[in-house]
Amino acid sequence: MSDLAIRNLFIIPTIVFLIVFNIFPLLYSLGYSFTDFRASTNAPANFVGLDNYRTLLSDPFIWRNFTITAKYVIVSVTGQVIVGFGVAMLLNREIPFKGLLTTLLLLPMMLSMAVVGLFWKMLYDPNFGVINYALGLGKFEWLADPDMALYAIAIADIWMWSPFVMLLSLAGLSAVPKHLYEAAAIDRASGLYTFFRITLPLVAPILMIAIIFRTMEAFKTFDLAYILASQPTTEVISIRLYKMAFQEWQTGMSCALAYIVLIMVLAITNIYIKYLNKVKER
Amino acid sequence: MAAVRTRGEVIRHRLSVTAVLVILLITLAPIFWITATAFKPRNLATTMPPTVFFEPEISPFVKLFTKRSQLREPPTEEVYNAAPWWEKTVFDGGEKVVRSGRGEVQPSGYPSRFLNSLIVAITSTVLAVSMGTITAYGFSRFKVKGEDDWLFFILSTRMLPPVVVAIPMFLMYRAVGLNDTHLGLIILYTAFNLSFSVWLMKGFIDEIPKEYEDAALVDGYTRMQAFFKIVLPEAATGIAATAVFCFITAWNEYAFALIMTNRRAQTAPPFIPSQVGSGLPDWTVIAAGTFLFLLPVAIFTFLLRNHLLRGMSFGAIRK
């Protein structure tokens, strides 16, 4: 076989597979987003133009879902960056059994989010939960309290994903040339000065990858929030979308909402991949 | 870091190590707790204050795999003595194992979900890694017009929110009868992992010197032989790491499984939380199911430890 034939044989099936199972379904739902189709009935779909989009964008409840999602993203990603980067700074020294320690610290992010949600539910339980006991909070309702529930979910998310930020930060920190620190020490630069002028700028590109990736994932969050709580105050956009599509069976409307979410995710993806390629070129 | 010198540095170093150990404890505590609960007798699982020291039992695992019903009255001594050891543990907890008319032990819903998870995760991993490897080779070794755009397209399919993809897929699967089938889930997970596998494998194959194949080609190998006999063996570590990542992703996946399956092809992630449902859940059984489900992932994490950074950054950061 010629090289050209092999190249095509190796690449085309993957592209076709992804088009058939990712792009084609999206075109299919784009079509439905302009109709009043409901998958629970046999009634034919009527073309309604941009009505679904108009309804959604002027619906105060949908905006509330987006606000909740934004709050969740900010709390959870900020927490992950502080904890993850902080632990990476602490770990960035000679410690016995460092490899083993790091692997153990990374364990949470490898687990299933659904199952993590389940066992945090157990830890948060007001009657027998270990968290209330450890913090001496009595029968505090973490998940039934409408104001607290979103933060409770974010805490579980921070537990799970800080290791990811830590992993990437460690890579960034270990790439900072040692002689820069030695030079700073000779100049008697303060710890703070060294951190802001040497450490942070050099770690920044990798840290940005971690932040953008986690932002995107937190924006899409479904499993953890869906399993932990069912408060109106924890209804992030993916849960709203799921309920609209598979419980209320507003198929046409949910396809329109899916498109609004999709455009937002693609915008973040675009930034993310640009950063990935930037780091790769170094 | 430079060798520790002054007293201030010694103290700072010790404080940092202590802080790391405290954080390690907080990180592992929830995992320890679910593991401990999996070995507790039922009456100690939900006590306040929580029970830390107890005699470990195997009964949660027996209960995990069998269908049981509440005992109205304790079994007669004869029945109890005739029962095998594992059935006794169920009797001790005030329940009995449900048997069919012919005396066969009826299984709970767990084993079939676990098996479904294995089938779906393994098959989709094999497909995603084999397709991903050859595609990565294609991108790595040949000129492809608009290569960056294609790679961007491939990775962007990975970033799609599962619920967004699930809506049209659900309708299409319903039309062709793929809802609640293994094949349906396998296709979804293969698509999801394929983009990841292409990106990660491209990094690994880029690292294999082109000269190896060139030498083989000069020696009369065809391009295909060079790929199979030179490149694949060189890429073995990369293939293994990619496969483990794909397996873990498919194994852990929840949203697609929740939407696309309900019984026949249901995997463990939607099943395990559904046990909490109504009434008083037996947390020891749920913990036992969780423990068995998390165990393979924990083992794989240790095997993967040197590739985690690479995998989590889609091959972009190699260290």
Side-chain angles (χ1 to χ4, degrees), chain A residues 73-86 154 158-159 161-162 165:
Chain A
V73 170
I74 291 167
V75 173
S76 145
V77 176
T78 310
Q80 287 161 29
V81 171
I82 293 171
V83 177
F85 191 73
I158 292 169
W159 175 82
W161 289 106
S162 294
V165 180

Side-chain angles (χ1 to χ4, degrees), chain B residues 274-293:
Chain B
S274 75
Q275 292 170 290
V276 177
S278 55
L280 281 173
D282 188 342
W283 277 100
T284 63
V285 175
I286 295 167
T290 303
F291 173 76
L292 277 191
F293 179 76

Side-chain angles (χ1 to χ4, degrees), chain A residues 83-279:
Chain A
V83 177
F85 191 73
V87 180
M89 289 287 287
L90 291 175
L91 264 181
N92 191 31
R93 63 191 70 237
E94 275 163 27
I95 293 179
F97 304 109
K98 190 171 158 185
L100 178 69
L101 268 174
T102 313
T103 310
L104 285 173
L105 282 169
L106 292 173
L107 204 50
M109 69 172 183
M110 306 303 286
L111 307 179
S112 159
M113 291 194 88
V115 171
V116 166
L118 181 72
F119 66 69
W120 274 80
K121 203 171 186 166
M122 188 180 165
L123 300 176
Y124 277 137
D125 194 283
N127 295 312
F128 59 84
V130 183
I131 293 179
N132 278 353
Y133 180 75
L135 301 178
L137 288 174
K139 295 211 174 217
F140 184 69
E141 296 270 5
W142 288 88
L143 299 167
D145 181 326
D147 296 325
M148 196 61 213
L150 193 69
Y151 294 104
I153 299 167
I155 291 171
D157 200 46
I158 292 169
W159 175 82
M160 188 165 174
W161 289 106
S162 294
F164 175 79
V165 180
M166 181 193 94
L167 177 67
L168 267 65
S169 304
L170 272 177
L173 287 172
S174 69
V176 178
K178 300 288 169 279
H179 64 83
L180 290 182
Y181 289 121
E182 283 153 21
I186 291 166
D187 291 345
R188 295 184 174 278
S190 73
L192 224 53
Y193 185 89
T194 316
F195 177 77
F196 282 107
R197 286 306 176 86
I198 299 174
T199 313
L200 204 53
L202 285 166
V203 179
I206 287 188
L207 195 58
M208 269 313 278
I209 287 187
I211 294 172
I212 301 168
F213 188 71
R214 286 315 310 158
T215 302
M216 187 161 58
E217 292 290 309
F219 180 72
K220 296 190 290 189
T221 203
F222 175 75
D223 311 11
L224 208 55
Y226 185 71
I227 284 177
L228 272 174
S230 47
Q231 302 276 346
T233 50
T234 61
E235 199 175 87
V236 290
I237 198 67
S238 293
I239 296 183
R240 179 85 286 267
L241 186 56
Y242 171 76
K243 286 186 176 166
M244 198 184 268
F246 298 105
Q247 290 177 359
E248 298 156 13
W249 294 105
Q250 304 190 59
T251 314
M253 187 74 84
S254 66
C255 286
L257 181 57
Y259 256 84
I260 296 172
V261 172
L262 183 65
I263 288 164
M264 293 171 145
V265 170
L266 283 182
I268 315 176
T269 305
N270 206 337
I271 306 172
Y272 174 66
I273 296 180
K274 279 210 182 102
Y275 263 93
L276 270 189
N277 282 326
K278 208 161 126 189
V279 169

Side-chain angles (χ1 to χ4, degrees), chain A residues 45-88:
Chain A
N46 297 309
F47 183 76
V48 294
L50 289 171
D51 270 8
N52 287 333
Y53 291 93
R54 218 171 282 142
T55 314
L56 285 170
L57 291 175
S58 59
D59 181 352
F61 290 106
I62 294 294
W63 283 109
R64 218 176 75 127
N65 295 128
F66 275 115
T67 316
I68 292 169
T69 312
K71 196 167 136 193
Y72 176 78
V73 170
I74 291 167
V75 173
S76 145
V77 176
T78 310
Q80 287 161 29
V81 171
I82 293 171
V83 177
F85 191 73
V87 180

Side-chain angles (χ1 to χ4, degrees), chain A residues 3 7 10 14 39 110 220, chain B residues 135 143 159 174 223 252:
Chain A
D3 278 6
R7 185 196 78 181
F10 277 12
T14 292
M110 306 303 286
K220 296 190 290 189
Chain B
T135 305
K143 276 210 178 68
M159 303 302 170
R174 199 172 65 168
R223 175 65 81 166
N252 287 346

Side-chain angles (χ1 to χ4, degrees), chain B residues 253-317:
Chain B
E253 208 284 331
Y254 174 72
F256 282 133
L258 176 75
I259 294 166
M260 301 297 182
T261 66
N262 45 53
R263 234 192 63 78
R264 257 188 314 153
Q266 193 182 46
T267 53
F271 174 75
I272 295 174
S274 75
Q275 292 170 290
V276 177
S278 55
L280 281 173
D282 188 342
W283 277 100
T284 63
V285 175
I286 295 167
T290 303
F291 173 76
L292 277 191
F293 179 76
L294 296 182
L295 196 60
V297 174
I299 294 168
F300 278 146
T301 303
F302 272 90
L303 297 178
L304 262 189
R305 61 189 180 278
N306 296 326
H307 298 285
L308 284 174
L309 178 66
R310 209 170 162 144
M312 293 314 258
S313 64
F314 297 94
I317 308 168

